[in-house]
């Protein structure tokens, strides 16, 4: 058994490991672990600690994929909901659909007993309002939100250049390969924006015959390249895990137009090997790793390209 997650998964990674050690279903363990991340205000890119969109509204995205059946559950731009990974799992388990978004996803959440959550902490609300006061003239501020929002798009890298996602991947020869993701998306995103986190093949993909992959940071790029699916397909076609990941990086590097930035790829094959690669992200990128030969999880540096 191998479990892989990005560095910001620290609030929930130990719980997922504990559940796996106890024999829990892999997806259940990952969703429970992500739930701890979503509820932690110190994680500023997911759930309760995330940043709002341009209107000051938190919209969260999440997905799960069972690599053995290739069933997917995904939710996007969900308001008033913290445990969106659990909601995505419920979509997979209870509905004939793959994805629900916005008000429809929130309606489904209420139907199955999810609470209506306060999702924006005071600090996020304060920073959002202060940024508006910097960006807008007094007349625009008085009319807000009844103004064009597109000109504010240059603010999406503030504060803290937040573009991260929590991703979990598990691989086991007996239990299969699976993925789970959750994010509040980019800070200051245009309302309704979906990144790659809920998009099968872009931000995540799993096939228990070959392996699994998931991405963080600039989702606009991985959607254009179908990065996660590229990796799993390359494994199917006989590439090694490193070759598969490097092929996906080559495709990202070929992009010349549109919004460009860094991407972090997390991947594992069906034999329990793993790769985590930092493509053009500033600073050191780290990730959590645990397998059933290890006494405790380890935080390791990603390979930089």
């Amino acid at each position: 058994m191998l479990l892989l997650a990005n560095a910001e998964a620290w609030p929930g990674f130990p719980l997922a490991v504990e559940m796996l050690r106890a024999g829990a279903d892999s997806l259940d363990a990952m969703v429970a672990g992500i739930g701890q991340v979503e509820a932690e205000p110190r994680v500023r890119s997911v759930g309760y600690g995330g940043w709002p969109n341009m209107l000051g509204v938190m919209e969260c995205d999440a997905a799960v994929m069972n690599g053995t059946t290739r069933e997917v559950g995904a939710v996007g731009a969900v308001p008033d909901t913290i445990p969106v990974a659990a909601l995505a799992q419920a979509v997979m388990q209870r509905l004939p659909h793959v994805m629900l978004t916005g008000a429809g996803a929130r309606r489904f959440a209420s139907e199955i007993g999810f609470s209506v959550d306060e999702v924006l902490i005071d600090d996020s609300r304060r920073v959002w309002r202060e940024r508006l006061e910097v960006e807008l003239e007094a007349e625009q501020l008085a009319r807000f939100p009844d103004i064009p929002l597109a000109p504010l798009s240059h603010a999406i890298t503030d504060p803290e250049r937040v573009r991260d996602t929590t991703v979990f991947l598990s691989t086991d020869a007996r239990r299969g390969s699976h993925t789970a993701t959750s994010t509040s998306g980019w800070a200051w995103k245009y309302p309704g924006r979906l990144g790659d986190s809920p998009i099968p093949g872009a931000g995540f993909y799993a096939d228990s015959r070959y392996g699994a992959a998931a991405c963080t940071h600039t989702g606009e790029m991985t959607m254009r390249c179908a990065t996660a699916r590229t990796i799993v397909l390359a494994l199917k076609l006989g590439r090694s895990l490193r070759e598969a990941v490097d092929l996906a990086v080559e495709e990202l590097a070929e992009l010349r137009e549109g919004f460009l930035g860094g991407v972090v790829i997390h991947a594992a094959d069906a034999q329990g090997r793993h790769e985590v690669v930092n493509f053009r992200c500033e600073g050191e990128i780290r990730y959590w790793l645990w397998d059933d030969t290890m006494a405790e999880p380890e935080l390791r540096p990603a390979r930089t390209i």
Side-chain angles (χ1 to χ4, degrees):
M1 170 63 69
L2 178 143
L3 184 67
L4 194 64
N6 65 317
E8 290 195 337
W10 59 265
F13 200 78
L15 174 61
V17 168
E18 179 183 346
M19 291 178 65
L20 289 172
R21 281 176 168 156
D25 174 83
S26 301
L27 272 177
D28 289 345
M30 291 192 293
V31 169
I34 282 187
Q36 298 289 305
V37 183
E38 292 165 333
E40 174 54 66
R42 288 175 291 176
V43 178
R44 302 310 304 268
S45 60
V46 177
Y48 191 46
W51 297 101
N53 66 19
M54 290 180 184
L55 295 177
V57 177
M58 188 79 79
E59 295 177 315
C60 294
D61 311 328
V64 299
M65 184 167 186
N66 182 322
T68 302
T69 64
R70 280 176 282 171
E71 291 176 290
V72 173
V75 293
V78 187
D80 305 323
T81 311
I82 292 175
V84 284
L87 183 61
Q89 187 179 33
V91 170
M92 183 182 74
Q93 293 171 336
R94 300 189 184 207
L95 294 177
H97 308 308
V98 164
M99 181 182 293
L100 296 179
T101 61
R106 181 56 248 184
R107 179 189 177 102
F108 176 64
S110 295
E111 286 183 7
I112 62 175
F114 280 51
S115 62
V116 175
D117 299 325
E118 174 56 55
V119 295
L120 196 61
I121 62 176
D122 290 341
D123 183 62
S124 296
R125 185 178 291 105
R126 174 189 60 79
V127 172
W128 165 76
R129 184 66 190 183
E130 288 177 355
R131 185 57 190 252
L132 277 187
E133 292 171 354
V134 169
E135 294 291 332
L136 301 180
E137 302 291 338
E139 184 271 337
Q140 292 177 304
L141 198 59
R143 290 192 293 116
F144 186 84
D146 298 321
I147 63 170
L149 296 179
L152 290 173
S153 292
H154 68 275
I156 61 176
T157 58
D158 291 315
E160 298 183 10
R161 297 180 66 85
V162 172
R163 299 181 200 161
D164 208 0
T165 298
T166 291
V167 297
F168 277 66
L169 297 80
S170 66
T171 296
D172 181 89
R174 177 174 58 88
R175 302 186 195 185
S177 299
H178 315 291
T179 61
T181 70
S182 183
T183 186
S184 57
W186 289 4
W188 307 102
K189 63 188 177 183
Y190 198 96
R193 177 260 183 185
L194 292 181
D196 63 334
S197 299
I199 308 299
F204 66 95
Y205 199 79
D207 186 324
S208 294
R209 298 170 296 178
Y210 311 111
C215 307
T216 72
H217 288 72
T218 313
E220 272 65 6
M221 294 173 65
T222 61
M223 285 190 284
R224 293 165 65 186
C225 293
T227 299
R229 173 62 173 153
T230 291
I231 293 166
V232 177
L233 181 58
L235 291 172
K236 179 177 181 178
L237 295 176
R239 302 284 187 99
S240 70
L241 181 61
R242 175 158 290 201
E243 290 171 339
V245 171
D246 287 350
L247 173 63
V249 170
E250 288 174 15
E251 291 187 335
L252 293 170
E254 290 169 355
L255 298 177
R256 295 289 183 268
E257 307 296 333
F259 192 94
L260 304 177
V263 173
V264 181
I265 294 172
H266 305 73
D269 65 20
Q271 289 72 46
R273 293 178 287 260
H274 76 279
E275 287 276 338
V276 180
V277 168
N278 170 8
F279 172 66
R280 295 181 179 171
C281 290
E282 296 178 3
E284 183 182 59
I285 296 294
R286 298 188 293 173
Y287 65 95
W288 286 104
L289 173 71
W290 173 81
D291 67 37
D292 48 17
T293 69
M294 299 166 59
E296 298 294 337
E298 295 180 2
L299 189 61
R300 297 186 176 184
R303 179 164 61 101
T304 298
I305 295 180

